[in-house]
Structures are given as C-alpha cells and as structure tokens.
Amino acid sequence: MEKERRARESGKFHCVERGQQRSVMLVIVCVALLLDNMLYMVIVPIIPDYLAGLESEAEAEAKAQAQARGNGTGAWPTIAPVNLDVKIGVLFASKAILQLAVNPLSGPFIDRVGYDVPLLIGLTVMFLSTCVFAFAESYGTLFAARSLQGLGSAFADTSGIAMIADRYGDEETERSRALGLALAFISFGSLVAPPFGGILYELAGKRVPFLVLACVCLADGCLLLAVTKPFSNRTARQNVPAGEPVHRLIMDPYIAVVAGALTVCNIPLAFLEPTIAGWMETTMHATKWQMGMAWLPSFFPHVLGVYVTVKLAERYPSMQWFYGAVGMLIIGASSCVVPACKTFAQLMLPLCGICFGIALVDTALLPTLAFLVDVRHASVYGSVYAIADISYSVAYALGPVVAGNIVHTMGFAQLNLGMGLANVLYAPTLLALRHVCQIKPSRSERRILLDEEEEDGSAGLYDAIRMEEPRAKRKGLCADTSTANSETYNAYTLPIMLSCTIHS
C-alpha cells in the first residue's frame, strides 16, 4: 500500500511538472510568434518614410556633385515615385518569398531533429535580422535583413506551431485552445506593430523599435535554452516515428483543401495592407493617423473569433470544417463591402469582419491539420505545419507585388470583389472534411510508440510490450502465431509480435 501511494504521488508530481513545463513552452512559442509578426508589420510606418529620406538625400547629393562639376542646375538625376513604390513592394514581399522557398526544407528538418532546436535557430536568426534592421542605412542592407527575417520565420513559426500541436496532442480541445492562444498573439503582434513602430520612430528614430524587439527576442531565446536544454539529450528522437515528407502530405486531398483555404482566406488581408492606405487618401482624404489606426480595432473581433471557435470546438469538435466555411463567407462578404465605405468609421466595420472571419478559419483549420496527420499519417507535425506556413507565405508574397498592379490596371473595387468572390466560392470545398472530422482517434501514435512514462507515473505502452517480449518468446508467440486463437491474437499477441519483429 505504501509503495502504491508513493507511486501515485510520484505520478501526480510528474504530471504537474510536465504540465508546468508545457505551459512555459506555450508562453515561449507565443512570444516568438508575437515577435515574428511584429517584425513583419513594424516596418510599415518606418521603412517607406526612411527610404524616401534616403532617396531625397541621394538626390540632393547628386545635385550638389553636379553643381560642383559645373553641369548646371538640371544635370542631376531624379527619382521617380513609382520606382520607390516598386522597391518598397519588393522589400515587403522578400520575407514571404524566402520563407516560401525555405519551408519545404525546414519541415523535414524539424521532423528529424525535433521542435526545440529549430525554434532556437529561428529566434537566433530573427535576433540577427532585427539588429541588422536597426543599423541598416541602405536599401540593400534592409533587403538583406528582411530576407534574413524570412529565413528565421520559416524555422520559428513552423516549429513553434508544431510544438504546440505535439505538446497538447493528448486532447483535441486542449490543442485547439493552445493554438487559439497562439493565434491571438499573432493577431496582437500584427495589429499593434504599426502604431508601436510609428510612435517610437517619431520619438526616438529608426533604431529604437528594432532594438526593443531584439532584446525581447534575446530574452525569449535564453528562456528556451533554460527550459528545454535542446542540446543536452538528443537520444529521445530515436523512438519517434518518421514523419511523412512534405510532397506526400500535400498530395493528401484533405490537407490540400485545408492549405488552399488558409491561402485564400489570407489573401484579402495580404492584398489590402499595401493598397488600402493609398485608397483611403484618395477617396476619403484620410490622415496619416487614420491610415495607421485603420487595422487596430480589428484586433478585438479577431480575438473574439478565436474565443468563439475554441468554445464551439469544445462542444462540437467534428464541426471544425463548418466554422472554417462560415469564416470564409464572412471574409468574402466583408471584402465586397470595403469599396463602398465613404468614411473612416464605416471602413472599420468590414475590416473587423475580415479579421473575425480569418480568426474563424485559422482557429478551426490549424488544429485540423494536426488531427489529419494523427488519423492518416504519423503524428509528427513539422512538415504539415510547414505546408500551413507555405500557404500563408503564398498570400503575403503575392500581396505587395501583385495587389498594386491589380489596383493600377483594374481598380480597387475590382480587387476587393475578386477577393470576396474567391472566398465565397472556396468555402463549399471544406465540405470534403465533414466525414474525416467525425473520426475519433485514439491516443497519438507518437505517444503509443514512444518509450516514455504515462502521466500517472506507470510504464508506457512501449515499455510494457518490451517487458512482455521475453515471456512471449518463451511461449512461442513470436515463432508460431498460427496456433493462437483469434481473441488472443487480436487483443494481445499482435502488439507483442510487432515488438518481437522490431527487436529481432
């Protein structure tokens, strides 16, 4: 009795300690996602003005040199504004383009080495890119820093989301809640970054906002090192089943449907960010303050959408596809309303609708990706969330480059109507998920196969099978299975045979 009591207490202590570490890891990942999205958006109020200043200085210097050479007053080159707009668009898109190129490689790498080391790599690269941003004084250096940030994001975002899916894989409701919290941090980072960067840029110059973010990134990386000790024990990865490669996962029709939905639902946000400021200035004579604050109120409906989806998923977990479809319909309707707005106050309503719909889609479909991997593939999540990151990167790589050309050739209203129609037409494809979402999987394959203890402190299933192996061999179970009766074969002998085959 005393041994049983001590075992129960040891199991409870182990469970509490594991839960605390899991909560700390969730905080680390959420901060990493917050930083990545703040770095993505903090340049919006800073870089266009800073590059315009650099171009003005270059033009003034060329004018002074021309005058010094006695070439007259009209001999210096001029910088066309359209060229500056193109350079800014390419700079903004460079992060997503490099992220898109690296993700097919980062996913398998994460599956092979685990989640903590790639997350540390991502945070380190993000720290370096932020420092380069702070001290960059030319377009080429800024472009290099932006591209370097895409490299860091390909590791940090994918490994962070995959780590959450892995650590909270025991229960789908817990996984949805944890991923919803991560999405709330992503939204907060994206929406608070422009005013954060704009205010510090006006008060203290270009370097300060980037240095602040670099310090937070450094602190998050140090906390990750302290909690996970990623280089101390790498033998645990040997028992993890091999994950499916990216190209095989994307051929899964259900995963392809989810990836397509993530791309289509983020296109309105990605295409509006580089174009809506100019449209506001032209149609409603908006001030710089209004352009910067247009997206900030959208944070609250985004968090509301995350909360609503998580609560609905707890009660009706098999309806995730439906929540995503509803979100796409809301995005489509809101996008079509944007061109009809005449005032700043009117514009905030459809923007809030777009962010609310995106919250529904992301919160419903990101856990669905992990669920699909659990029931159809090995429960290793690096490659599948690399596909999700590719989906986002496609939208944000096209946005700064394509959206401006569409507005120039077809008009702002046609751009929004096209994005809205795309979301409305894609929503019915999520019906394909309605049957697979009704599957009720048992415990994750990873947790069944891993040589680890259960939460109550007892031996894991892998250990139990391994201990039964010698006994099974003595009874001849591995040597001759034809004599086993069907009931024993199905309930007991088959796992032991599998273990014997592996060890032999």
Side-chain angles (χ1 to χ4, degrees):
M1 293 295 292
E2 181 65 20
K3 290 183 178 179
E4 293 179 0
R5 184 184 64 82
R6 290 180 179 178
R8 286 195 299 269
E9 290 179 354
S10 176
K12 291 178 181 179
F13 177 77
H14 176 77
C15 183
V16 171
E17 186 178 19
R18 181 181 175 186
Q20 290 175 346
Q21 186 184 33
R22 188 170 67 170
S23 300
V24 174
M25 285 306 306
L26 179 60
V27 172
I28 293 172
V29 172
C30 288
V31 172
L33 297 173
L34 171 73
L35 284 169
D36 180 58
N37 285 272
M38 287 194 71
L39 288 171
Y40 178 78
M41 293 297 296
V42 75
I43 71 172
V44 172
I46 298 175
I47 297 303
D49 183 72
Y50 183 74
L51 286 179
L54 290 180
E55 298 288 1
S56 299
E57 291 177 2
E59 188 173 353
E61 184 178 355
K63 176 181 177 180
Q65 292 177 355
Q67 288 178 337
R69 290 194 301 266
N71 292 336
T73 58
W76 59 87
T78 58
I79 307 297
V82 66
N83 293 337
L84 182 60
D85 291 338
V86 171
K87 291 171 69 174
I88 292 173
V90 172
L91 176 66
F92 277 45
S94 60
K95 173 189 179 292
I97 292 173
L98 188 63
Q99 196 169 344
L100 185 62
V102 174
N103 269 316
L105 303 176
S106 65
F109 176 76
I110 292 168
D111 287 343
R112 181 177 295 273
V113 305
Y115 309 111
D116 44 5
V117 171
L119 180 57
L120 182 62
I121 293 174
L123 287 171
T124 302
V125 176
M126 286 165 55
F127 172 77
L128 294 176
S129 69
T130 309
C131 293
V132 174
F133 256 121
F135 296 98
E137 296 182 353
S138 67
Y139 178 82
T141 311
L142 291 170
F143 184 86
R146 184 69 165 174
S147 301
L148 192 63
Q149 184 193 345
L151 177 63
S153 299
F155 286 94
D157 290 2
T158 305
S159 59
I161 296 294
M163 181 181 288
I164 293 176
D166 178 76
R167 296 293 177 93
Y168 289 84
D170 294 330
E171 183 66 36
E172 286 298 320
T173 56
E174 290 186 2
R175 177 185 281 168
S176 297
R177 192 180 301 114
L179 288 173
L181 181 62
L183 289 172
F185 273 79
I186 291 174
S187 172
F188 183 74
S190 298
L191 297 176
V192 80
F196 166 82
I199 292 172
L200 287 183
Y201 176 62
E202 289 291 335
L203 296 178
K206 179 179 75 74
R207 293 182 180 179
V208 173
F210 294 109
L211 291 178
V212 171
L213 294 177
C215 291
V216 178
C217 188
L218 181 62
D220 197 44
C222 292
L223 182 60
L224 175 65
L225 278 173
V227 172
T228 63
K229 300 179 176 60
F231 303 105
S232 60
N233 183 16
R234 307 306 302 167
T235 58
R237 295 294 303 173
Q238 296 176 358
N239 289 328
V240 177
E244 292 283 351
V246 173
H247 69 276
R248 290 185 181 177
L249 289 176
I250 198 62
M251 295 300 293
D252 187 317
Y254 301 110
I255 293 177
V257 166
V258 174
L262 293 176
T263 299
V264 174
C265 80
N266 280 277
I267 282 179
L269 188 60
F271 280 44
L272 282 176
E273 283 175 350
T275 58
I276 196 169
W279 176 78
M280 290 173 65
E281 185 176 9
T282 303
T283 58
M284 59 185 67
H285 306 290
T287 63
K288 296 291 184 182
W289 176 85
Q290 290 176 326
M291 295 176 196
M293 296 295 292
W295 292 98
L296 188 58
S298 303
F299 168 73
F300 300 101
H302 188 279
V303 173
L304 177 63
V306 171
Y307 178 79
V308 169
T309 309
V310 169
K311 289 300 181 183
L312 289 174
E314 290 178 358
R315 298 192 62 182
Y316 310 103
S318 63
M319 298 294 290
Q320 297 276 50
W321 64 271
F322 179 73
Y323 312 143
V326 171
M328 298 194 76
L329 294 177
I330 294 174
I331 295 169
S334 301
S335 298
C336 294
V337 173
V338 168
C341 298
K342 302 299 181 184
T343 64
F344 174 71
Q346 293 176 356
L347 180 62
M348 287 191 296
L349 294 177
L351 294 183
C352 288
I354 290 174
C355 289
F356 180 78
I358 290 175
L360 293 182
V361 178
D362 288 347
T363 312
L365 297 188
L366 281 180
T368 301
L369 284 175
F371 176 84
L372 290 172
V373 168
D374 286 338
V375 299
R376 295 174 61 82
H377 307 277
S379 298
V380 185
Y381 307 101
S383 292
V384 76
Y385 282 110
I387 293 174
D389 211 22
I390 290 171
S391 303
Y392 294 128
S393 298
V394 168
Y396 286 97
L398 294 176
V401 178
V402 176
N405 292 328
I406 295 177
V407 171
H408 181 71
T409 57
M410 301 177 62
F412 185 78
Q414 286 72 17
L415 172 68
N416 281 269
L417 292 175
M419 295 187 301
L421 184 61
N423 275 272
V424 171
L425 293 179
Y426 196 92
T429 62
L430 294 178
L431 284 168
L433 302 175
R434 66 187 186 279
H435 295 305
V436 72
C437 286
Q438 295 176 357
I439 300 175
K440 298 183 182 299
S442 59
R443 291 180 65 230
S444 168
E445 177 187 347
R446 181 191 66 82
R447 301 188 184 281
I448 292 177
L449 294 179
L450 269 181
D451 184 5
E452 64 180 13
E453 292 183 344
E454 298 286 352
E455 292 187 357
D456 60 357
S458 60
L461 180 58
Y462 188 91
D463 284 333
I465 293 175
R466 191 167 57 185
M467 288 187 295
E468 292 290 342
E469 179 188 349
R471 190 182 307 168
K473 286 183 176 179
R474 287 195 299 269
K475 292 181 179 180
L477 292 174
C478 291
D480 184 12
T481 59
S482 60
T483 59
N485 61 64
S486 59
E487 182 179 357
T488 305
Y489 179 86
N490 290 328
Y492 178 73
T493 311
L494 184 59
I496 299 177
M497 286 176 56
L498 177 61
S499 177
C500 295
T501 303
I502 293 174
H503 288 282
S504 62

